[in-house]
Amino acid sequence: MPRPRTHDPDIVLDAAESLAVRSGPAAVTIRAVAAATGVSNGAIYHTFGSRAELLGRSWLRAAGRFLRMQTELVEAHLAVNDGAPCSSEVIAAVVAAAETPVEFARRYPDSSKLLLTVSRGELLGDELPEQVAAELAGTDDALVGLIIRLSRALWGRGDAAAVDVITTCIVDLPTGILLRRDRIAKPIAREHLRAAVRAVLAVGPPDRHRSKEHHEHPDLPRKDRSPGPRR
């Protein structure tokens, strides 16, 4: 029979997150986390199995928090009129999705720094347990699903060219305007982001017959499949 847990796993994840964002991923060792939490090395191994799984679970928790928040912000606009929102509400939903990093940073500062400023590849490496890797792929797919949903709600299409426009709005623009110059807390940067998103949506995707990339199930590059803006 498995031994009962004598600690809250979130306490361990909080410590791993804090170490990663303040001192870099290499600082996240079982010994360092144990020292920060008072939880024994053995108890941490019992819960997480390995350092790689601890890091993976830390990233998964942050990604899950971000996606839930982003989805809730989008739903607030798409749920109007019994799920048949007008184009202005869909545009507002895309803007809300793009602005998610701002609210996320306020509510979960360490999760925000982990997800939005620490390189996923540097943090996770190549030794993830199979189950954790599968769950990470699930978060990637959830983000792609949200992007496709927004594209279809706005233009009635989910081809690669249309999806690329939404990806520009909720991934590329927040990365460039908010993150690369560390402007996530500046109100003027948020105004710039809103204006940029609306401008890109006003141009929209090319006509279907002009697009050489038209298909209903776009296979986005794996590097693009990460919750939140890219670092």
Side-chain angles (χ1 to χ4, degrees):
M1 178 180 296
R3 291 177 295 170
R5 286 177 177 159
T6 58
H7 64 277
D8 182 353
D10 277 329
I11 293 174
V12 176
L13 294 175
D14 287 343
E17 202 172 61
S18 179
L19 286 166
V21 301
R22 287 166 176 75
S23 303
V28 185
T29 64
I30 299 298
R31 179 175 295 181
V33 171
T37 60
V39 179
S40 70
N41 289 5
I44 294 173
Y45 276 116
H46 177 72
T47 300
F48 295 98
S50 66
R51 175 180 180 272
E53 182 167 353
L54 173 59
L55 289 169
R57 293 292 170 191
S58 298
W59 182 275
L60 274 171
R61 186 181 68 162
R65 285 172 169 175
F66 185 92
L67 284 170
R68 283 191 296 274
M69 180 180 293
Q70 190 171 55
T71 301
E72 288 169 3
L73 291 170
V74 166
E75 285 289 351
H77 296 281
L78 296 189
V80 300
N81 298 327
D82 295 324
C86 62
S87 60
S88 63
E89 286 291 346
V90 182
I91 290 170
V94 178
V95 172
E99 290 186 290
T100 303
V102 178
E103 180 60 28
F104 187 61
R106 290 174 181 165
R107 194 178 306 179
Y108 300 110
D110 278 352
S111 289
S112 172
K113 291 175 184 175
L114 183 73
L115 188 64
L116 304 178
T117 65
V118 176
S119 166
R120 172 169 160 169
E122 180 185 4
L123 179 72
L124 301 182
D126 300 319
E127 299 179 359
L128 280 179
E130 185 175 329
Q131 179 60 35
V132 176
E135 291 180 40
L136 282 169
T139 65
D140 296 339
D141 292 341
L143 174 63
V144 174
L146 181 64
I147 291 171
I148 294 172
R149 183 183 176 197
L150 287 167
S151 177
R152 288 178 174 157
L154 188 56
W155 299 302
R157 50 191 283 198
D159 57 277
V163 165
D164 184 62
V165 177
I166 302 296
T167 303
T168 295
C169 291
I170 74 172
V171 177
D172 300 328
L173 288 176
T175 298
I177 294 174
L178 298 179
L179 299 180
R180 284 184 179 152
R181 294 171 57 200
D182 193 21
R183 302 171 74 214
I184 197 167
K186 295 185 177 181
I188 189 64
R190 192 168 185 174
E191 290 184 28
H192 290 166
L193 176 61
R194 292 171 184 155
V197 169
R198 292 181 183 277
V200 169
L201 293 178
V203 175
D207 293 340
R208 286 176 186 255
H209 70 275
R210 292 183 180 179
S211 175
K212 296 180 180 179
E213 300 173 342
H214 170 63
H215 53 92
E216 283 296 318
H217 300 286
D219 185 16
L220 299 184
R222 179 57 57 180
K223 68 178 180 180
D224 289 343
R225 292 182 159 188
S226 182
R230 292 191 296 270
R231 181 172 180 265

